[in-house]
Amino acid sequence: MSSASYEVTKLFSEGSDEVLKQSLPQVPWSNNKFGLINYQGSWIPESFLARILLIQRHFLARDSDLIITGLPKTGTTWLKSLLFTIVNRAIYPVNQNPLLKNHPQELVYNLESDIYGEAFEYPRPQHLVELPSPRLLSTHLPFNSLPESIRTSNCRLLYICRNPLDTFTSLFHFAVSYLKNTNSKEILRFEDLFDDFCSGRTIHGPFFEHVITYWKMSLEHPEKVLFLKYEDLKDDPKHHLKRVAEFIGMPFTPFEESQSIIDQIIEFCSIGNMKELEVNKSGVINKFFEKKSYFRKGEVGEWRNYFTPLMVEKMTKLMEEKLEGTGLTFKLIP
Ligand code: PAP
């Protein structure tokens, strides 16, 4: 598709999409007014359907694309900072890193919200066409809902997951902050949201199906999907940064290692550093999302401050049941 012939107006939804929407299963979410609909086995807010259809119909992957995937609140912002810095390390020394002036999401676009979300003012899909390779992108879509060209091209996926208890805790805080920013009167209760989460009713959930599908893909096609865990990145960042660099075909050289480049990247992208950057302290992304809300605690095991023993029991059982036979495990405490 040439940029000249690209017409953004064509991207707006087609009449039949409304019919599709009406036919999808719908549930209320966390006792609140807005509901979730089930599209291709995954729960999404109603408003996401249009943008997902746009992505599926129009997004054309390039073989060189590097796409971060993962459920919300599993560490995608961290991985964006790391990936951007690794890919551009020869162009920008750390003290000139564009992350000093841009939130990670302004450098690694999320397909659903930054490119195909209805809030776009500039014709962003056009912008996507103009981005130089390798394009660094992200999506929360489950594997089965990825557009055909992502699944079948040689583009690479970097999947990040996080233990479900911390993921849920982070999601709850983010949702509360979002409601506050939109002046919503709705009240989110930790317990209600947790029950929904356990039943699979969470954005882009069920959680376990999302994770396990990418996990299996990473085992079957290690050249296509790199599977990372938040807790592993915390424990041994150097080892996992090397995995990332090798996966994208830009391994660290012995010289770079001797210059402590990996350590510098780890330190620069640490939550302590990112949180203190002026650019991440104020302002919003996509109208409502405060930049600072993407950098909260960044810890493993914070869930212990919120979960009741009953909740822990419920989630432990669920993890045993869902992960049995997969070979996948989660570390829950530091
Ligand atoms: P998103 O899906 O909305 O983009 P995402 O970045 O995946 O969110 O997750 C945000 C979580 O990552 C937050 O976790 P918390 O609520 O438990 O604190 C956030 O603090 C954490 N995070 C962001 N940046 C970093 C980082 N540099 N290092 C470690 N954790 C980070």
Side-chain angles (χ1 to χ4, degrees):
M1 186 175 344
S2 83
S3 53
S5 65
Y6 198 90
E7 288 176 50
V8 172
T9 45
K10 281 205 183 130
L11 294 180
F12 287 100
S13 73
E14 294 158 21
S16 57
D17 294 353
E18 198 48 43
V19 179
L20 169 67
K21 197 198 271 183
Q22 299 305 329
S23 72
L24 299 175
Q26 182 164 14
V27 290
W29 191 40
S30 184
N31 288 335
N32 279 294
K33 269 181 267 148
F34 70 98
L36 295 175
I37 54 175
N38 195 291
Y39 178 60
Q40 298 181 326
S42 170
W43 292 104
I44 48 168
E46 255 184 61
S47 61
F48 279 29
L49 182 64
R51 56 184 88 170
I52 292 174
L53 292 173
L54 287 178
I55 295 172
Q56 293 182 333
R57 288 174 188 147
H58 299 281
F59 178 75
L60 284 180
R62 293 180 194 157
D63 286 342
S64 53
D65 285 345
L66 301 173
I67 306 179
I68 291 174
T69 59
L71 280 160
K73 306 300 141 200
T74 55
T76 55
T77 305
W78 187 14
L79 189 54
K80 282 174 194 169
S81 317
L82 291 169
L83 182 66
F84 181 87
T85 307
I86 292 172
V87 168
N88 293 294
R89 67 190 192 268
I91 308 174
Y92 306 114
V94 160
N95 63 358
Q96 288 169 28
N97 193 324
L99 281 162
L100 292 165
K101 300 214 168 102
N102 297 273
H103 185 278
Q105 197 164 320
E106 293 169 322
L107 297 172
V108 180
Y109 297 119
N110 176 272
L111 290 179
E112 306 81 276
S113 51
D114 303 320
I115 304 287
Y116 292 95
E118 59 271 357
F120 65 77
E121 287 141 25
Y122 180 76
R124 293 190 193 179
Q126 167 77 15
H127 185 48
L128 193 57
V129 174
E130 290 164 0
L131 279 181
S133 298
R135 295 185 302 188
L136 310 184
L137 301 166
S138 84
T139 177
H140 291 307
L141 289 179
F143 190 83
N144 297 341
S145 293
L146 291 175
E148 179 77 10
S149 76
I150 293 189
R151 283 184 282 136
T152 55
S153 72
N154 290 326
C155 74
R156 276 166 277 191
L157 303 174
L158 296 96
Y159 186 82
I160 183 154
C161 72
R162 187 180 191 186
N163 81 58
L165 294 88
D166 281 323
T167 301
F168 174 74
T169 305
S170 182
L171 182 69
F172 175 76
H173 285 286
F174 191 78
V176 168
S177 132
Y178 169 78
L179 289 180
K180 199 170 130 223
N181 291 344
T182 52
N183 294 323
S184 168
K185 301 262 178 305
E186 295 185 36
I187 295 177
L188 273 189
R189 291 181 55 232
F190 196 80
E191 301 77 4
D192 294 338
L193 205 61
F194 179 71
D195 285 343
D196 281 347
F197 187 87
C198 289
S199 310
R201 293 190 300 273
T202 184
I203 298 182
H204 301 297
F207 176 94
F208 291 100
E209 279 69 2
H210 197 287
V211 176
I212 291 168
T213 313
Y214 278 102
W215 168 245
K216 288 185 177 160
M217 287 306 297
S218 76
L219 298 178
E220 285 165 25
H221 302 283
E223 71 300 339
K224 175 80 180 170
V225 182
L226 178 72
F227 194 90
L228 297 158
K229 294 184 197 170
Y230 185 96
E231 297 78 16
D232 290 348
L233 268 173
K234 279 270 176 193
D235 278 349
D236 191 354
K238 203 165 189 170
H239 171 70
H240 295 286
L241 258 63
K242 285 187 191 176
R243 285 181 68 214
V244 169
E246 275 162 28
F247 177 73
I248 63 173
M250 301 176 77
F252 292 105
T253 62
F255 178 73
E256 284 178 313
E257 290 212 38
S258 74
Q259 298 298 299
S260 304
I261 296 294
I262 309 179
D263 296 316
Q264 286 173 29
I265 296 175
I266 293 168
E267 174 53 29
F268 179 77
C269 296
S270 68
I271 187 151
N273 186 53
M274 297 304 285
K275 222 176 172 169
E276 289 310 312
L277 298 177
E278 283 307 316
V279 63
N280 295 327
K281 284 186 178 171
S282 60
V284 291
I285 290 182
N286 290 321
K287 289 189 182 165
F288 302 116
F289 300 104
E290 280 193 296
K291 289 184 182 175
K292 65 178 180 206
S293 66
Y294 290 83
F295 308 95
R296 207 178 55 86
K297 295 263 167 104
E299 290 169 3
V300 176
E302 203 221 345
W303 58 269
R304 289 173 294 179
N305 297 328
Y306 299 92
F307 274 60
T308 63
L310 270 180
M311 286 174 166
V312 178
E313 194 187 326
K314 184 169 176 178
M315 185 54 93
T316 308
K317 270 194 195 143
L318 196 59
M319 281 201 294
E320 281 167 10
E321 182 192 313
K322 296 283 185 181
L323 299 179
E324 193 187 356
T326 62
L328 182 60
T329 54
F330 285 113
K331 186 174 170 184
L332 303 182
I333 47 174

